[in-house]
Amino acid sequence: MNGPDPSNLLERLDALTQAALLQGFHQRQLVEDELLGSPNSERDSVFIVRSGRIRVFLALEDKEYTLTFLEAGDIYSTHSQAYVQTVRPSEVLMGDTARMMATLRSLPSAVPAIIRVLGATLANCMGIIEDLAFRDVEGRLARFLDGMLARRGRPHQGSLRLELDLNTEDIARLLGTTRQTVSSLINRMAREGILSRAGNGIFDIHDAERLRARSQQPGKVSAG
């Protein structure tokens, strides 16, 4: 990728703006499965992900619904009424919400970048909610792969290579289903010649048109 990543807040800001914005923030190392926020949390903080991956999800009784994964450059809060938990060791910059709001009043140049990053996170959440409501698991998986292919796919030996940096369990969490179901559907797509596995979280897409068509087909809604 050339130039700054448009989805990475820190890369969108020049050095002086970044330094001013992060006054009062402190670095924090998180272990896997560490909880940063929950519906009843009293912590009122904002954090920016430096590295790792953090899951934002809703939980009710024995069910969990993943809303999004936060990665490097994403900004989020601990008081969103969702659970916020690391899925791998991560590093974040944490700051007090009130202090950050005061900083932004005197630093308007940072606001557009924050809005764009938050907007991308919200759009991702809405897409997942739409899929859970209106698509079956196969449709969700196809739409997810098609969307990621548009963002990250690159030509590779006559196909399109897609490197997700997500394992089967991560994908299953995003789709609101089980790891076994995702593996079964990926194997089916492989038998049909749509894709093949090139490694853990790496796929070669051989028929992008069929993948897109599969993502747009109506299906019986199921939790998988």
Side-chain angles (χ1 to χ4, degrees):
M1 181 180 296
N2 297 320
D5 182 353
S7 65
N8 188 317
L9 175 61
L10 298 180
E11 291 187 10
R12 294 188 68 97
L13 303 175
D14 61 65
L16 290 176
T17 302
Q18 185 180 137
L21 177 67
L22 296 180
Q23 286 185 9
F25 278 68
H26 63 278
Q27 183 174 302
R28 182 173 170 185
Q29 300 288 339
L30 306 170
V31 299
E32 185 174 340
D33 293 329
E34 186 167 347
L35 196 65
L36 269 177
S38 65
N40 299 315
S41 175
E42 295 182 358
R43 178 185 292 164
D44 189 1
S45 303
V46 174
F47 65 88
I48 301 170
V49 183
R50 291 289 299 273
S51 64
R53 178 172 290 124
I54 298 174
R55 183 166 73 114
V56 181
F57 64 99
L58 303 176
L60 179 63
E61 297 178 350
D62 61 339
K63 293 184 178 181
E64 293 182 358
Y65 296 96
T66 298
L67 298 178
T68 191
F69 283 108
L70 304 173
E71 298 181 324
D74 284 327
I75 182 171
Y76 205 73
S77 73
T78 60
H79 53 281
S80 66
Q81 298 304 303
Y83 291 91
V84 183
Q85 186 175 37
T86 60
V87 295
R88 63 176 58 172
S90 303
E91 178 184 315
V92 299
L93 297 171
M94 298 202 70
D96 178 74
T97 301
R99 178 166 182 172
M100 182 176 183
M101 294 298 293
T103 299
L104 289 176
R105 283 194 287 270
S106 60
L107 195 67
S109 60
V111 174
I114 292 175
I115 290 175
R116 289 190 184 96
V117 174
L118 287 175
T121 299
L122 178 60
N124 188 44
C125 291
M126 294 302 295
I128 291 172
I129 292 170
E130 178 185 337
D131 283 348
L132 287 171
F134 301 115
R135 288 180 175 83
D136 61 15
V137 182
E138 185 175 12
R140 285 179 238 162
L141 176 61
R143 187 165 121 119
F144 168 74
L145 293 174
D146 182 57
M148 295 304 294
L149 187 65
R151 292 171 54 191
R152 299 187 181 183
R154 58 180 177 84
H156 179 76
Q157 298 181 356
S159 299
L160 292 171
R161 174 148 291 186
L162 177 58
E163 299 184 17
L164 291 178
D165 192 29
L166 293 169
N167 59 33
T168 307
E169 182 67 28
D170 291 334
I171 297 173
R173 285 172 167 173
L174 273 173
L175 301 181
T177 187
T178 65
R179 180 178 58 80
Q180 292 83 357
T181 298
V182 170
S183 293
S184 176
L185 291 172
I186 289 174
N187 290 337
R188 181 193 299 175
M189 290 183 184
R191 290 193 300 270
E192 294 174 353
I194 295 175
L195 55 76
S196 60
R197 291 180 186 265
N200 187 24
I202 304 174
F203 301 92
D204 286 332
I205 309 299
H206 306 299
D207 196 334
E209 290 186 4
R210 284 181 67 193
L211 179 66
R212 177 162 298 177
R214 186 72 53 86
S215 74
Q216 296 172 346
Q217 288 178 354
K220 182 179 179 181
V221 176
S222 168

